[in-house]
Amino acid sequence: MEILAKVHAKNLIEWARHRPEVLVMSADLTSSTEIDLFRDTYPDRFLSMGIAEQNMLSFAGGMAREGFIPLIHTFAVFIYRRAYDQIAMSVSYPNLPVKMFGFLPGITTPGGATHQAVEDIAVMRALPNMTILECGDATDVESVLDVAHSVNGPVYVRMLRGEIPRLFDKSAVMKLGQARTISKGQDLTVLSTGICTEEAMRAIEALKKQGLSVQHMHITTLKPFHDANVLEAIAQSRYGVITMENHSIIGGLGSIIAEQMAEAGIGKKLVRIGLRDTYAHGASRPFLMKEYGLDAMALITQTEKLTGYQFNVSEADLAQIYLEPVHSDAKAEAL
Amino acid sequence: MMKQDQKAQLDWQEQVRRTAKGIRRRVLEHTVNSNGGYLSQACSAAEIFAALYLKLMALGPVEAPIIPPPFAGVPGPDNSGSFTGAAFHGPQAPHYDRFILSPAQYALVLYAALEEVGRMAPEGLRQFNQDGGTVEMIGAEHSPGMEVMTGSLGQGLSQAAGIAMARKLKGDTGKVWVFMSDGEFQSGQNWEAIQAMAHHRLDNMWLIVDMNGQQCDGEICSVMTIEPFDKRLEAFGARVFRLDGHDVEALAAAAAQQPDGRPTVILADTNPCQGLDLLAARAPKLHYVRFTSSEERLQYQKAIEIFDHKE
């Protein structure tokens, strides 16, 4: 598997080159959100806003009203938790093209509860006019700017940084409102988002070898959600559907699919893999994924429960999970 | 390290200075061993932490240096086992002071200080950022010496003000000390807190701000200036002392002032490379140190040895 470093940092420079209306705003996490190269390349389009996110979001609303497209960059928690009212009234209500890039989604950081965005989809989804996207690999990160830009209104992106696997071919870009189908099958549908997709791919490879036929789809547009292909896959699945997300099971992908299934009258079982209504704590990503049951093994276990079959898949059978070194050159600090 | 009885024979100024040096040494050693760390914060704030624990704060004793317990889950109705790190500050009582660390990225410095003053066992720092432990990189309320969640900057001071208000209503005589960084005053919530502290006359609140002029993106003046900081604070109703943060006698003299109805803010001007000159080569990016080459790491390794020989 190809691993790429600082994907967003490089991509943003090219993408913004001929878009002079695009500004980047930073809240003292410039290197940590990979916008240092942008700052150095286009200093006139980089705004340092300090550790003051509430002001930054309303300020961005003001600039967007004047025709600029502000790209907000900071850790996800500091966007939606610190400045929720400001987003609601200064950005979302007037449907302004402020694009918010929230880094460190879920348990991707050892920074602990203060740095882990575990309910961002739930709260941002409740805002009218808001579009929500989530990246799961390097191709997503490279193409999310186009998708966010194409939306007439505010967009919140769950973003990845540092070393990122390329799960999808470079040409298979993210498309608004369309899930990517990774494998086709009729026994079970697995819907995954973000970093859980890589985990699901490992588990599903093992399950397929045991004879299970799995429809695996990678979801990148969480709101608005109108993907008929996803509902069709669920309706055709023999045992039902498992959602897998790096987020609380309340309000995220699992809830979205539950609503969609109920409204469409699809009477299948739904299993939600995610944080089970809890905050997390500071520890390494593999440790937390295991502790909270978000990894490949968790999908095996839940599949066994749902289908009633034992698949005899061990940790060793699952391909070696890529461990991101805590002190990687691709990240500015060890958060 | 000196034996405790030797230490007792020194005057308090010398004890504070030696403890500050010990804090720097511990953080430097940790940074070298783990190839990264919040090192400049130890250089700037070592005297402040040493003075707080040895001279400024009235804390209850701990019976023996505490080994940090493993993580026991987040607080909740079904978890009776969750705890805070307040035990490292001894028993709470009306006449004792309380301590709140606002910039949680200073946790490494706090841990080094707790170890240096005999409140945390040496095992503690070795558990730093270890899976399943509580000695977290960004201190959480279960981490040694922490008692509230402050890693989302701006919330520490308001929580401390709530504690101070409650203590005032209860008639407690102890102070509430808050260690702060200068950069976090860009956050509006801190000004809302100062406003409330002045309005409610919380003169039991004592803030020390490590004025090292640095934040994650670089020098504060280049990111978002907070000056004239002292005048802003005074205009908000605080009593302000601005002094040299490496001058332990000046710190003690300010802390000895009688309360006058206003919250007190001690602005401690510091050097982010104090006691470790080679750090200056990394300016203006001093927020987090990660070595870029094995040669650089070796330089810092050698600095530990110099620390041990320099008296």
Side-chain angles (χ1 to χ4, degrees):
Chain A
M1 189 170 57
E2 187 190 5
I3 304 292
L4 294 94
K6 295 200 173 186
V7 180
H8 181 59
K10 299 167 195 161
N11 183 57
L12 180 61
I13 301 299
E14 289 312 309
W15 186 84
R17 189 178 300 279
H18 301 297
R19 292 185 170 95
E21 73 282 14
V22 167
L23 303 168
V24 167
M25 296 173 85
S26 177
D28 191 35
L29 288 168
T30 298
S31 299
S32 303
T33 60
E34 299 193 351
I35 46 176
D36 37 2
L37 198 57
F38 184 97
R39 175 197 59 201
D40 299 342
T41 311
Y42 311 116
D44 296 342
R45 290 199 273 148
F46 175 86
L47 294 179
S48 171
M49 302 304 293
I51 309 168
E53 294 81 5
Q54 295 181 330
N55 174 63
M56 176 166 68
L57 266 301
S58 292
F59 196 105
M63 297 208 72
R65 283 185 189 264
E66 295 299 313
F68 286 94
I69 299 179
L71 309 184
I72 300 288
H73 283 70
T74 186
F75 295 160
V77 283
F78 302 141
I79 295 175
Y80 76 96
R81 283 189 188 151
R82 292 202 70 94
Y84 192 63
D85 193 11
Q86 286 74 15
I87 294 168
M89 289 300 113
S90 308
V91 173
S92 162
Y93 176 84
N95 194 43
L96 294 167
V98 176
K99 317 298 178 183
M100 293 157 271
F101 294 85
F103 289 76
L104 312 187
I107 49 72
T108 55
T109 171
T114 55
H115 286 58
Q116 292 161 337
V118 298
E119 82 293 3
D120 50 337
I121 299 166
V123 301
M124 293 297 269
R125 194 161 76 89
L127 289 175
N129 294 333
M130 188 63 64
T131 293
I132 302 176
L133 308 172
E134 179 162 9
C135 295
D137 88 322
T139 302
D140 279 351
V141 170
E142 285 165 354
S143 47
V144 74
L145 291 170
D146 283 329
V147 178
H149 190 246
S150 74
V151 172
N152 172 22
V155 179
Y156 174 74
V157 182
R158 288 191 121 203
M159 197 62 172
L160 297 176
R161 64 164 194 185
E163 295 182 338
I164 310 172
R166 187 181 296 285
L167 303 178
F168 305 107
D169 190 87
K170 198 172 165 58
S171 63
V173 297
M174 179 192 287
K175 289 188 177 146
L176 186 68
Q178 287 182 34
R180 285 199 193 77
T181 301
I182 297 168
S183 72
K184 293 198 168 202
Q186 289 79 45
D187 288 336
L188 172 71
T189 294
V190 173
L191 305 174
S192 60
T193 46
I195 60 164
C196 285
T197 292
E198 184 189 343
E199 297 294 321
M201 286 166 82
R202 294 184 193 288
I204 290 165
E205 279 302 306
L207 290 169
K208 283 200 283 194
K209 282 181 193 154
Q210 304 272 331
L212 196 73
S213 167
V214 182
Q215 175 90 12
H216 180 199
M217 302 175 90
H218 173 63
I219 311 282
T220 49
T221 305
L222 288 152
K223 189 192 173 192
F225 197 95
H226 308 296
D227 193 337
N229 292 333
V230 172
L231 293 183
E232 196 181 320
I234 298 169
Q236 290 173 359
S237 285
R238 189 171 162 207
Y239 294 102
V241 55
I242 299 179
T243 57
M244 193 169 176
E245 61 190 312
N246 172 29
H247 182 272
S248 169
I249 57 166
I250 296 174
L253 177 68
S255 293
I256 293 166
I257 297 304
E259 292 165 12
Q260 295 279 325
M261 288 168 67
E263 287 188 346
I266 300 171
K268 296 285 181 182
K269 279 200 173 177
L270 164 67
V271 175
R272 294 173 295 163
I273 292 178
L275 288 159
R276 306 198 67 79
D277 195 18
T278 182
Y279 292 100
H281 61 111
S284 69
R285 175 169 145 181
F287 180 90
L288 293 173
M289 289 193 91
K290 193 174 175 65
E291 179 179 7
Y292 292 104
L294 308 177
D295 60 358
M297 202 63 209
L299 180 55
I300 303 283
T301 306
Q302 293 302 326
T303 302
E304 287 177 340
K305 278 190 195 165
L306 182 63
T307 62
Y309 288 100
Q310 293 299 307
F311 291 98
N312 298 317
V313 177
S314 70
E315 297 267 3
D317 296 332
L318 298 164
Q320 188 69 43
I321 291 173
Y322 174 69
L323 293 179
E324 191 172 37
V326 172
H327 290 295
S328 147
D329 288 332
K331 291 197 295 184
E333 56 186 320
L335 278 170
Chain B
M1 237 181 80
M2 289 177 294
K3 298 227 170 64
Q4 288 302 319
D5 55 340
Q6 277 179 287
K7 229 174 184 174
Q9 287 167 14
L10 300 168
D11 60 21
W12 70 264
Q13 293 93 332
E14 191 54 24
Q15 281 189 48
V16 170
R17 286 186 200 109
R18 291 195 179 206
T19 300
K21 186 179 163 190
I23 292 171
R24 285 195 185 92
R25 192 202 178 284
R26 283 178 197 273
V27 174
L28 172 62
E29 185 177 48
H30 176 86
T31 303
V32 169
N33 290 344
S34 43
N35 196 28
Y38 294 94
L39 181 57
S40 72
Q41 289 83 349
C43 292
S44 62
E47 279 79 16
I48 297 173
F49 275 90
L52 276 167
Y53 279 101
L54 295 181
K55 182 70 179 169
L56 273 49
M57 295 197 288
L59 297 176
V62 294
E63 282 179 14
I66 301 171
I67 299 170
F71 180 62
V74 295
D78 303 320
N79 183 11
S80 57
S82 67
F83 53 81
T84 78
F88 289 79
H89 291 148
Q92 291 184 357
H95 63 285
Y96 282 139
D97 293 352
R98 298 274 284 278
F99 177 72
I100 305 291
L101 178 79
S102 176
Q105 77 273 15
Y106 274 75
L108 178 58
V109 191
L110 171 65
Y111 304 148
L114 288 172
E115 208 168 294
E116 194 64 26
V117 300
R119 289 180 176 270
M120 182 169 82
E123 292 92 321
L125 213 47
R126 288 199 286 272
Q127 293 176 20
F128 183 84
N129 202 23
Q130 296 296 305
D131 288 342
T134 48
V135 192
E136 291 194 20
M137 181 171 66
I138 304 291
E141 67 175 46
H142 48 254
S143 300
M146 303 279 293
E147 57 175 293
V148 294
M149 299 295 274
T150 59
S152 180
L153 297 179
Q155 297 186 28
L157 186 57
S158 295
Q159 293 177 83
I163 290 168
M165 183 84 218
R167 296 194 73 188
K168 198 174 173 178
L169 292 173
K170 288 192 279 189
D172 286 7
T173 53
K175 298 172 180 171
V176 176
W177 287 92
V178 187
F179 177 91
M180 303 195 66
S181 62
D182 43 5
E184 64 180 312
F185 274 89
Q186 291 164 348
S187 174
Q189 184 173 353
N190 283 313
W191 295 100
E192 295 175 28
I194 300 275
Q195 170 179 286
M197 286 152 50
H199 180 81
H200 291 290
R201 300 181 64 79
L202 297 180
D203 63 1
N204 54 345
M205 288 200 76
W206 291 71
L207 283 55
I208 298 192
V209 186
D210 177 10
M211 300 281 288
N212 63 11
Q214 299 293 320
Q215 63 185 116
C216 191
D217 274 5
E219 285 187 282
I220 289 175
C221 57
S222 73
V223 177
M224 181 62 69
T225 190
I226 58 170
E227 296 291 353
F229 191 30
D230 44 1
K231 291 193 175 64
R232 288 185 190 185
L233 287 164
E234 280 167 354
F236 267 66
R239 175 172 66 161
V240 179
F241 300 117
R242 191 158 188 165
L243 46 79
D244 175 356
H246 304 297
D247 181 342
V248 299
E249 288 181 336
L251 285 166
Q257 299 291 317
Q258 287 303 307
D260 72 348
R262 295 176 291 174
T264 300
V265 183
I266 299 171
L267 298 182
D269 286 311
T270 60
N271 169 10
C273 308
Q274 182 81 9
L276 190 64
D277 297 341
L278 78 158
L279 199 53
R282 300 182 65 99
K285 292 283 282 180
L286 295 166
H287 179 77
Y288 187 85
V289 169
R290 176 177 301 133
F291 304 119
T292 49
S293 65
S294 51
E295 290 77 25
E296 191 184 21
R297 189 171 175 175
L298 198 65
Q299 272 188 314
Y300 281 78
Q301 177 80 50
K302 283 186 180 147
I304 302 176
E305 294 162 23
I306 297 165
F307 249 83
D308 291 342
H309 293 111
K310 190 169 68 178
E311 275 301 321

